[in-house]
Every structure is written in C-alpha cells, then in structure tokens.
Amino acid sequence: MAEQTQTCIVLNDVTVVSQDIEPCGDPRICLVGSLADDAETVEAAKKFNVPVVTSETGEEYVSDSAFCTYFVLSDFESPVFEELDKAGVRLLGKPALIELSGNGVLTYTRRPVFCHVMKDAILVFTGFRKKNEVCRLLKLVHYMGGSVKNEIIDTVTHLLAYSSTGEKYQYANTFNIPIMSEDWVHAAWAHRDEVGARATTDTMAKYKLKVFQNLRIVLVGFQEEDQSQMEDLVTQNGGFNTTLEDQQATHVVLEDQTVTEKPPDCPPKAHVVKAEWFWTSIQMEAPPSETLHLFEELNASMLSPRQMFSSPSTPGSRSRRRKRLRETVQHLAQDDSSSALPSAPASSKRRSSAGDLAFLSADGSFLDDTASTPNRLAPPSGSSEQIPLSPPPVDLRQLSARQRVFHELVKTECNYVSILDAIEKVIKVPLENNSQSGGPMLDSQELRYIFGNLPPIHTVHTRMRDDLLHLAHNWTPDASIGEIILKYSTELEKAYPPFINFFENMKEMLQKISSERPRFHAFLKIAQNKPECGRQSLQELLIRPVQRLPSMSLLIGDILKHTEKTSPDHVALEQALDKIKSVMTFINDDKRKTEAKLKLFEIHNDIEMCPPNLVASHRMHMSKVDVTELSDSCSGRGDTLTLFLFNDVLEICKKKSKYNSIKSPSRANLHALKSIKTYKHLEMMNLAHIKRIVDIRETEDCHNVFALIIRSNQELKERLFTFTLIQDDITKSTFLKTLCRTVANIACRNDVENFLVSMDPHHLDIETSDVSLTNALSKALKFATRTGRKVSRAFSFNKSPSKLKRAVSTVMSPFGTLPQQSSMRGATSVNNLADLSLSGTPPTGGFAHPMATPTSRRRTLKNAH
C-alpha cells in the first residue's frame, strides 16, 4: 500500500483536508436524490460557503473537472451509489456532512464515508477465512470512517476476531486491546443514520468476543454433573460442544485427575489441554495461551527421558528441551546445597511468541518475583536458633506412647494451619484484589460474610503451632503440653463461635454465589487444583475449623492417658482438656442460641400482621406444631393452625392458602405467590396466663387431642382452647412436656407435673365422632359458604348471602347453636377447670365443651343445675 499523504489547504475560505489524492478545482457540494429537498442537509451544506447543486443521480457532475465535487447521498446501498463509486468520485453520507459542518472542515479521502460511527477506530482482522465476508466487513468499517491495518501496531484500537484463538488474539488479550466480534461492526452500521453515534461507547461493550467464540470443544473424562455444567458454559460463551470424531475440533479438554493418557483419536489440529485451561478461560473471560496448559506437561514427569525427548515437535526442539532440562537439574542441585534462590541462567533466551506474553498469573498480572514463604520460625527471644515449620524427623518406634501422641498433635496442628494458610493466600487474598482481570468477583460484604470470621482462628492457631513446634524440637521428659493449650484456651473460646454459628448460612451463600457466577465458580475450580489446597474444594477446606476442636480434645485425652499422675503436666493436661470441652460446650450453646435468634426472625417474616414485639433479645424459639382447632376460641372449628412455642409466649397463627388471594395464574401473580406469607397472626399468648394443660386420653376415635386453660389478670373468666395434633414428626407427649417445662420456668416453679392433667374425652363432653368429622365438615362448610358468596355476586343478590350461609350452616354442621343463656352458663362453668385434680376427676360444676353436641350440652347443663 502506498504511503498516505495528508495536505491541508484553504480554498475560498473553506478548509479542505486532502488524503491520498491531489487537490483539484474549487470545492462544490452536490446533493443527490431526495437530499435535495431535505432541509437539514441543505442547511448543513450551506455552512461550508461553497456552491451547492442538486441532482437525481449526480452523473452530470462527474466529469466536470472545474470543481472538486463532493457527492452527498442518503444511502450507500443503492444503484446510484454503485455507479458513482465506480467513477471514483468523492462520496459522503448525510450524517458525515452534518458532522463536518460543525467545524467547517471538509475532509475527503479515496474511500466513501457515510458516517463517523467508527471515527478514529483502527482495526486489525484475524481468523476470518471467507473472502466475501472480509470484504463486506472492510467496506462497512471504511464507510463508517474507520481504518484497517494488517498487523497490530501501537495505534491499533481494536481487534476484530472470528474466534478466541491465535497469536493476534493472545497479543491483544495480553495488552488489553479490545477484542470485538463481527456483530460489533453490523451493530455500529445499524446506527449509521444517527449523527454523533460512536462504536466505541460503553453500549457497544456487549459485542466483545465471547470466551469460546466459534471454538469446537471436546470434554473428556469429567463427571456427569461437571460435564453438563461445562457444556452449558461452552454454549453460553459462543462455543460448540463436539466429539473426538469431529476433525474440525479446536480443543480437547481432559480431566487430568482421571485421564492419564492422551486419547489416541484426537483430532490432528486440536489443542489437547488440561481442565485448568477451561476454568482459567471462564475466570479471566478470555482463553489463555494453550501452551501454558498442554496436557503433555502434566505427564512429562511420569515419562522416561527417551519418551520426553522423542515427542513430535519442530526441528531443533529436542536439543532445546535437553538444554532446559539440564539447566533445571543444575539449579535444583544448587538449591539443595544452598538455601538461596537460584538466579536465572545468563545464557537462557526469552521466547518472543505472543503466547508467552500471556504468561500471567490467575488474577491477570505478571508472575511476581517474590521470595517464597519462609520455612523456619523466628528464634525465641534470647536464642539464635531457628525452628523449622514442621515436626522434627523421628523414629516413632523409639518414642514413648505420650511422645507419639504429642507428635501426632503437632503434625495435625501444622497441617491445619497449612490449610488456613491456603485459604488465606490462594483464595481470600486474590478475591480481595480489586485489580483482578474482569473486575471483582465478590463485593466487600460477601467477602466479609464468607471469610470475615476466619482470621482470628488463623491467628491463634498459628501462634499455638509455633509454640508446639518449639516444644517438639526442644523436647524434655518434663515438658508441659497442657500449659500451651491453656495459654490459648480463652482466645479459642472467642475465635470459634462467630465462625461456627454462621457456618451453615455461609455455606449456603457460597453455594448460591458459585452457581450464579461462572467466574467465581471457575476461580474456585482453579484454586482446588493447586497443590496448596490438596485437591479439596473451598467448602471442604472451610469445614476443617468445625472439626478441629473435637480432634484436639481426643488427642489431648490420649496424651493424658499416657501421662503419669505424678507428672507435673498431668494437672495441666486435665485442666486443658476440661477447658477445651468447656469451649466446645460454650460454642454449641452459643450456636443453638444464634440459630434460635435466626429462627425467630424467619418466623416473624413469615407471619402476616405479626406483632413487632415478637422479636425480642430474650426470646428464643422452642418448638412448632400444626394443629386443628376443636373450639371456637381462636379461628373456628376445623381450622388448621400453627402453634409457635417460645420461651415466654405462644404465637397462634392460621395457615394461609396460597391460592386464596391470587386467583389468576398469570406470570405476575406467580411472582407474587412466591413472596406471599405462609401464616396469619391470630393471638400471641403469654405463657404465664396458661393455668392448666389438659392431655386428653387416647380412645379408639380420639387421637392427639389436648387442651389449654387460659386466664389472664384482665379476664374475668377462663377460656378453653382445644386442639388435635396433626403432624407426625413430633409426638403429643413430647410437645406437652416441652410446653409444661417452659410454663413452669416462667412461673419459677419446679413442680412441672402439676401443670399437666390427664382426662378422658367425655369429661369435657368431647364426642369422638366430632373429632374425626370436624376437619372434613369444616372444609365442606367453608366451600359451601364461598360458593354461596360467588353465586350471590354473579346474580347480584342483596340479602341472600347471609340467609344462604345460615341455611348451609344449619344443614351441614352437626354442632347446633345454644340459646344465649345456655351459652353463658357454659362459659361461666369454665371457671372451675383450674381446680382440676391430678387424678382427672371431672369438674363438679359441669362444663359444656364448645365441641359438644346440643344434646350433650343440655345434659351437662342439667347436671350442673
């Protein structure tokens, strides 16, 4: 391509910038076709103070050499444009003319310019194979004011790539040059008529090349769950899942934990890489160089030297590999004889391929040249000797039983601290790096929720490990192990509860974030494969603090068994064991309290119209049962209720139907259905107001029935609540014992048994047939009542609903209504229930239970008289 020249001249007070061609006569603007009647275009053309002519096709002005004519068209895809383009004239689009009129500079080049959507954009194409497709993209870029180069140079602004592979792709990815798909060009061309539109705005970022764009990937050796997840990620990121039979496959990804040999039928042009390449691609949102993750590198150490050097490669590669291997062996030998780190050989040459430029760490930065973690402890005060960060090498057969168990304690403590180090350095610190490629994967609140309670545990165990190692390397028969444990027992008691209390919530949050964010999931997969993590997932590593204290308790107990009672360490070990157990007990109690507090908030949020004072600092959830009401004291006979028992109150709620308030199964209603509350508040009862708990004895037709006798200081008469337990996961006796014990605690009494009285069903005039039919008849009554309301609304009845309701109640309900006087007498007789004896003798004054039939009510009232 000839070198472009640019000349700036002034013709008739108009600045004209000429590129690639020599200037001709005076400038003139020709408005072609419909633009002659376009007021905006005419006004823009007049701003240049040059002659403006109009024409249907512009052909009559093509051969006029007296003027340098600029032809302005409304469309670059019409036959008129094609004819003028063949003539080699200067062509502009309406948007380009309007933008040029803003500064009065008339720019022209050898190429037609319709708009300036890609103004100042310099592109390089890579990966395209179809000539007609490349020509089309090239024309569009030029029409929008952009330019295209053959190679990547300093001025290149974008790389237009067909797929996520190749040296140009790796170079652009390494130096943060935006890599765009061909859809970006087409999307920019769609905005060609918008004056001022630019393809470099943030709105165009969605057209960046996807991670696996047009790559054909084969996954081999993965578990079914991982295979399905990885196939979905390939599809979501623009790739195609294929098989080994596909000769056009670009990558074969092998699970290097299960696959030990390269499949013999791999496609010849495919890159055979480890699973780490896949997850690094997802995390960094761009595939790294395949040379960094080749599968052969994993098994190189297991091959013989002949096999290592006889792999197919380019000429001369064998000698280069031998040279690098020899240099590596020499440096390893130097490292064994000296603790200093080996320096790079002076004769080593730097490879210059674009793939090597992408030799980055997992967070996208160049590998740090920092010293490794020291492998020795700082010497104790007053000593110059350094203690290694590992137990001393010993022959267990020559050690005493006490010393062997102590050696196991030190070894497990070192392993435990190593796990905490791995969580800190391999996972936590990289996640806290705000400059990581692709932006932060977790925000500060999520990081604090997952890792915030771990540093205190890490700190105390690191110090404990150091003291145990110092004792192991300076062992004496009278060494005191218990004093070291006692030294850190208080810190252990403070460090562990916050972590263990919220461990389950943290685990659920970790699973949720991992399933919703592919980059974070990929980061965890990469970390899992690192040697520091021992092939364990983050969840498996985070459960270690939960297991550590019980493990320590067992080891300390074994040391105590092998320590003579006359030893000075025996008392210290006993105290240390008691302290560890007390710490575990404290943690368990604190965990239960925390879970109870969280349960309290969950219950409050799931109850409609729940009193705000249900949530209190002293209140804890004790139990929950589902019951059917047999009385009319709360909601109504046959209603399904839920009793939430707390340490001082009993919350009575009615279970709501999810379909009562939402009639239409529309998408909006289904969304509202998910947020609907499960319960509706009926009454919050103070446990101090419960005077008696009645256990109704089991009969052939009466099961799981119990009653509560309630009387508050403000009430003149007692109330009777009767329920039947309807759930199977908790027995009636268990719930009643818990309720009695809780009521006794409120009353500050030890005679728990005095709050519970057993009675037969007939003592309260409970008909067993009523119990069995209550639920079914109540549902039928409610259905009939609702049906009557619907019919009345449909036919615009005025007073029929109430009459219909009374009629249905009379016909369908077996429970008749007593006169007002009898009902009052029955209510008055309830006052004697608080005086029930433990023998279960029925009250002398008689009592008409709300569930009793009219006949039994009258019989009871007659006996009372």
Side-chain angles (χ1 to χ4, degrees), residues 699-718:
T699 63
E700 183 178 354
D701 296 324
C702 182
H703 303 284
N704 293 332
V705 181
F706 65 96
L708 302 178
I709 302 173
I710 312 299
R711 182 176 182 180
S712 63
N713 297 331
Q714 291 79 18
E715 294 176 341
L716 299 177
K717 60 180 180 180
E718 294 175 341

Side-chain angles (χ1 to χ4, degrees), residues 654-706:
K654 181 178 180 181
K655 268 197 170 183
K656 297 176 58 180
S657 173
K658 294 183 178 180
Y659 303 98
N660 281 348
S661 57
I662 299 180
K663 305 299 181 183
S664 175
S666 63
R667 187 170 297 179
N669 286 341
L670 290 177
H671 176 72
L673 187 61
K674 296 180 181 179
S675 60
I676 194 170
K677 296 190 176 183
T678 309
Y679 307 98
K680 182 179 180 180
H681 169 75
L682 294 178
E683 182 175 350
M684 188 169 72
M685 182 188 303
N686 194 324
L687 294 184
H689 298 161
I690 298 179
K691 303 305 178 183
R692 283 288 187 275
I693 300 169
V694 183
D695 181 10
I696 306 299
R697 295 190 181 97
E698 301 288 320
T699 63
E700 183 178 354
D701 296 324
C702 182
H703 303 284
N704 293 332
V705 181
F706 65 96

Side-chain angles (χ1 to χ4, degrees), residues 10 146 267 475 616 789 803 809 836:
V10 178
W475 177 260
R789 291 173 183 171
K803 297 179 181 179
S809 300
L836 290 172

Side-chain angles (χ1 to χ4, degrees), residues 293-457:
H293 304 279
L294 289 178
F295 180 74
E296 287 80 3
E297 294 183 2
L298 177 69
N299 294 320
S301 60
M302 298 188 298
L303 299 176
S304 64
R306 181 181 301 272
Q307 291 174 316
M308 291 173 60
F309 297 136
S310 62
S311 60
S313 182
T314 57
S317 62
R318 180 180 302 179
S319 61
R320 288 196 299 269
R321 290 188 180 183
R322 286 178 177 173
K323 182 178 179 180
R324 286 198 295 269
L325 179 63
R326 184 167 57 252
E327 292 171 350
T328 303
V329 172
Q330 291 174 355
H331 288 301
L332 289 175
Q334 294 174 4
D335 186 48
D336 290 340
S337 60
S338 174
S339 59
L341 292 174
S343 58
S347 60
S348 61
K349 295 182 180 180
R350 180 182 179 184
R351 290 172 289 179
S352 58
S353 66
D356 287 2
L357 291 174
F359 197 92
L360 305 179
S361 60
D363 60 354
S365 60
F366 284 98
L367 294 174
D368 296 331
D369 188 19
T370 56
S372 59
T373 305
N375 59 358
R376 289 180 177 270
L377 292 173
S381 57
S383 174
S384 59
E385 181 185 1
Q386 291 185 336
I387 306 300
L389 284 177
S390 59
V394 293
D395 185 359
L396 297 178
R397 294 172 298 180
Q398 299 180 0
L399 299 180
S400 63
R402 165 182 161 86
Q403 196 172 354
R404 281 198 298 269
V405 181
F406 172 69
H407 182 81
E408 181 68 19
L409 175 64
V410 177
K411 184 178 178 180
T412 56
E413 187 69 14
C414 291
N415 292 338
Y416 178 55
V417 174
S418 298
I419 291 174
L420 298 179
D421 289 338
I423 297 175
E424 173 77 17
K425 298 176 182 178
V426 179
I427 301 177
K428 180 174 178 287
V429 172
L431 287 174
E432 292 175 340
N433 182 14
N434 294 326
S435 61
Q436 55 190 289
S437 177
M441 287 175 276
L442 300 178
D443 57 36
S444 57
Q445 183 177 358
E446 292 167 339
L447 284 169
R448 185 167 57 253
Y449 197 87
I450 297 174
F451 301 104
N453 295 321
L454 205 56
I457 298 176

